[in-house]
Amino acid sequence: MTKNVFDLVVVGGGPGGYVAAIRGAQLGMSVALVERAELGGICLNWGCIPTKALLHSATVLRACQEASHYGVTGAGEARPDLAAMVARSRKVAGRLGLGVAHLMKKNGVTVFAASATLAGAGKLALDNGTTLSAKHIILATGARARELPALPVGERIWAYRQALMPTEIPKSLLVVGAGAIGAEFASFYRAIGSDVTLIDMTPEILPQEDAEISQLARKAFEKQGIRVLTQCAVTASALTATGVKVTLDQQGKKTELEVDRVIVAAGIVGNVENLGLEKTRVKIEKTHIVTDGLCRTAEPGVYAIGDVAGAPWLAHKASHEGVLCVEAMAGKPVHAIDPLRIPACTYSYPQVASIGMTEARAREHAKANGGEIRVGKFTFAGNGKAIAMGEDQGLVKTVFDATSGELLGAHIIHPEASELITGYGVAASLEATEEDLMHTVFAHPTLSETLHESVLSAFGRALHA
């Protein structure tokens, strides 16, 4: 007979949920995981992982097309094989899904393939008729793509699932939403040959990033042939014989654009429906569950982590919350998560990565507290490894408190930005000052030397600028 009483039940098997289940088992808890779809959640199956597989295919294609620049002949006629790219992407996701299933078995986590609803104190009712009991319940139900009334998803208007499994390359494509997801899809489809238009309602693409970095990203996208329209929205759409005709409103000026396909990447909403929350003290704000610094909701014994618990909507934030939440309930010493120490990455071409405050936010913070900031910048054009790679375009920008030397923010735009940002993440976690970073020895020749030079620049000591 399957066990129905546990110390911990986690609802949702994404990067937050399955990590929380593993950590609970490591701490000696009896743990169950309830997942209605695929282990690994949207991130592993329909988000982070398959998109990165497609984007890497685009990187390989780009390298082949530009091979003659590096003294390699015979590769310049490379063409995208879309079916093979998609098949590889799905294979990568499938492999990792099997890996999560193995981890559940290895750690003794009981997995229920079902949906769950809160059914009273410490109880969950599953849609297969089973009732589970647990002292602790973690809701890790994630989020889904926001729907736009003017763009109903279908055969020609895509959300992320459809965009990940195209059967042919659209000759023309409109991407609605220039955040991380939209920028990544725009980069991929442009690389494989689509005529891409990228729009956003805000004044700049990647609106959560530092303004200077966003502007550099826009210039890089436009140089690749991506048409970028900001302060622009879709007010209507209609299917044509072969594509979609949309009405664009850019600051009151209305125009029509006809494209083969549209990708909607206009944000997400939390999966809070059908969880039985209305019968509890759990509070919801803007489709997300309200929690405290230890992931506790207002309902005793009920916790929430990951995308369903609000911004930042990042897989690594969800995983960190999963560990934090379980260790707190086990009585371990923990620290509440600090959003300013969570790196954010966009895997477009070039990549954008950041941690902490933008320059504008840091200036506002300093002004409110009677302080000042120091800003350092270093371009990859001065880095030997970047020049050797043929990737010498980009910028590293650092922001410090002028008095204490605290690292307030760091921002990178470069094809390897996502790998570089962790250096600043470690520094922020260790509360390293500018002096610590300036005295750190960085290997040569490496891209990471730019991190050092940007810090030196903030204090008037750059060596190669």
Side-chain angles (χ1 to χ4, degrees):
M1 178 179 291
T2 303
K3 179 179 178 180
N4 293 343
V5 180
F6 299 88
D7 297 319
L8 169 65
V9 175
V10 182
V11 181
Y18 83 74
V19 166
I22 291 172
R23 187 63 185 129
Q26 289 175 342
L27 291 171
M29 299 180 186
S30 58
V31 183
L33 176 70
V34 183
E35 171 54 59
R36 67 184 182 186
E38 302 144 311
L39 287 174
I42 294 298
C43 173
L44 189 155
N45 295 283
W46 298 102
C48 313
I49 300 304
T51 55
K52 304 315 166 280
L54 290 178
L55 286 162
H56 186 68
S57 292
T59 298
V60 173
L61 175 63
R62 191 180 297 108
C64 290
Q65 292 172 338
E66 299 173 358
S68 61
H69 178 70
Y70 300 93
V72 178
T73 60
E77 296 301 315
R79 295 289 184 271
D81 182 338
L82 184 62
M85 287 181 174
V86 171
R88 179 180 179 274
S89 172
R90 300 317 308 159
K91 184 177 180 180
V92 169
R95 174 181 171 180
L96 288 171
L98 291 174
V100 175
H102 169 72
L103 289 173
M104 295 300 95
K105 184 176 181 180
K106 176 183 176 181
N107 287 279
V109 176
T110 303
V111 177
F112 292 88
S115 295
T117 304
L118 294 170
K123 294 189 181 298
L124 282 166
L126 309 189
D127 61 357
N128 62 9
T130 303
T131 298
L132 304 182
S133 298
K135 181 179 180 181
H136 306 286
I137 297 172
I138 296 178
L139 302 177
T141 51
R144 61 187 183 276
R146 184 182 301 279
E147 298 179 4
L148 299 180
L151 292 167
V153 173
E155 181 182 351
R156 299 177 197 166
I157 300 175
W158 296 343
Y160 56 84
R161 287 180 182 254
Q162 293 88 349
L164 285 168
M165 297 188 67
T167 57
E168 60 183 4
I169 300 173
K171 291 182 180 179
S172 56
L173 173 71
L174 172 66
V175 180
V176 180
I181 295 173
E184 289 175 4
F185 277 126
S187 285
F188 171 71
Y189 278 97
R190 181 61 193 141
I192 63 173
S194 294
D195 181 7
V196 177
T197 299
L198 176 64
I199 72 170
D200 200 274
M201 295 179 64
T202 63
E204 278 296 344
I205 65 172
L206 301 175
Q208 300 302 316
E209 299 294 341
D210 182 86
E212 184 175 10
I213 299 295
S214 295
Q215 291 160 13
L216 289 172
R218 178 174 186 159
K219 290 179 181 178
F221 287 4
E222 290 175 335
K223 186 176 180 180
Q224 296 165 49
I226 297 173
R227 181 189 183 200
V228 178
L229 301 175
T230 50
Q231 294 180 294
C232 182
V234 175
T235 58
S237 68
L239 299 182
T240 66
T242 58
V244 185
K245 181 183 287 186
V246 299
T247 301
L248 302 179
D249 185 337
Q250 189 174 25
Q251 294 183 284
K253 181 182 178 182
K254 292 191 176 183
T255 57
E256 288 190 339
L257 175 68
E258 189 166 346
V259 293
D260 290 343
R261 298 292 183 268
V262 176
I263 295 177
V264 181
I268 63 173
V269 294
N271 293 323
V272 295
E273 301 86 357
N274 304 314
L275 293 175
L277 300 179
E278 64 279 358
K279 301 175 183 178
T280 71
R281 300 177 189 173
V282 174
K283 296 180 181 178
I284 300 173
E285 290 182 1
K286 298 180 180 179
T287 79
H288 297 285
I289 295 173
V290 177
T291 61
D292 66 8
L294 299 181
C295 307
R296 296 173 296 198
T297 72
E299 178 72 17
V302 178
Y303 311 76
I305 62 174
D307 286 358
V308 77
W313 297 291
L314 301 166
H316 43 282
K317 172 256 195 182
S319 296
H320 186 83
E321 283 184 328
V323 172
L324 162 70
C325 179
V326 171
E327 291 187 346
M329 67 177 64
K332 300 290 184 180
V334 296
H335 298 285
I337 196 166
D338 181 356
L340 292 177
R341 293 182 179 175
I342 301 174
C345 301
T346 299
Y347 297 82
S348 53
Y349 181 78
Q351 296 178 7
V352 172
S354 61
I355 190 167
M357 300 181 191
T358 64
E359 179 182 350
R361 183 178 174 188
R363 288 194 184 282
E364 292 173 1
H365 175 77
K367 184 177 180 180
N369 291 278
E372 296 181 356
I373 66 170
R374 298 183 72 107
V375 178
K377 302 177 188 179
F378 191 78
T379 68
F380 284 87
N383 177 261
K385 178 68 178 293
I387 295 171
M389 292 171 61
E391 296 286 6
D392 61 349
Q393 299 301 300
L395 176 71
V396 179
K397 180 176 183 177
T398 45
V399 184
F400 291 88
D401 181 279
T403 302
S404 68
E406 178 188 359
L407 177 64
L408 300 177
H411 311 273
I412 308 172
I413 179 168
H414 186 266
E416 298 296 333
S418 64
E419 296 294 337
L420 292 169
I421 196 63
T422 299
Y424 288 131
V426 172
S429 292
L430 294 176
E431 298 182 346
T433 65
E434 94 291 356
E435 185 176 357
D436 297 320
L437 289 167
M438 286 193 288
H439 289 169
T440 299
V441 179
F442 287 76
H444 174 78
T446 63
L447 296 176
S448 64
E449 290 176 277
T450 60
L451 310 187
H452 190 220
E453 288 279 4
S454 183
V455 175
L456 293 173
S457 170
F459 292 86
R461 294 176 53 180
L463 299 172
H464 293 91

